[in-house]
Amino acid sequence: MSTENKISNKADDLGGKAKEKIGGLTDDQDLRDEGRADQAKAAVKDAGEKVKDAAGDIGGKLKDAAEDVGDKLKHMADKAKAAVHDRNDHDHNR
């Protein structure tokens, strides 16, 4: 999660907590509800950022795995070519 988004989400959460507290102290139900909504919005945005981070991690791991498979296939193809070449050399030397 980017630092900017983390700070923004935390600010929304803290602002929501403040509104909820002030609404409770002043008996302002609308302000209290607005504060709770701000906290919920911050939690949803935070969860979304975590999902994006996890998707990025998975994408990186998939890319690494694909590169490993590609390297192994290339190595196997090189060995097969060498074996065919060796076999052809052996057949010609008979």
Side-chain angles (χ1 to χ4, degrees), residues 31-75:
L31 187 58
R32 186 183 313 168
D33 291 344
E34 185 179 330
R36 288 179 181 156
D38 288 349
Q39 290 173 69
K41 182 175 90 173
V44 168
K45 287 181 1 185
D46 191 48
E49 289 295 323
K50 289 178 181 176
V51 168
K52 285 191 328 191
D53 289 347
D57 291 345
I58 290 169
K61 289 178 183 177
L62 287 173
K63 180 181 176 215
D64 292 344
E67 288 173 355
D68 288 346
V69 168
D71 291 344
K72 288 177 182 175
L73 288 173
K74 184 180 181 312
H75 178 70

Side-chain angles (χ1 to χ4, degrees), residues 83-93:
V84 168
H85 181 41
D86 289 347
R87 179 67 181 187
N88 287 340
D89 285 348
H90 178 68
D91 289 346
H92 285 123
N93 292 331

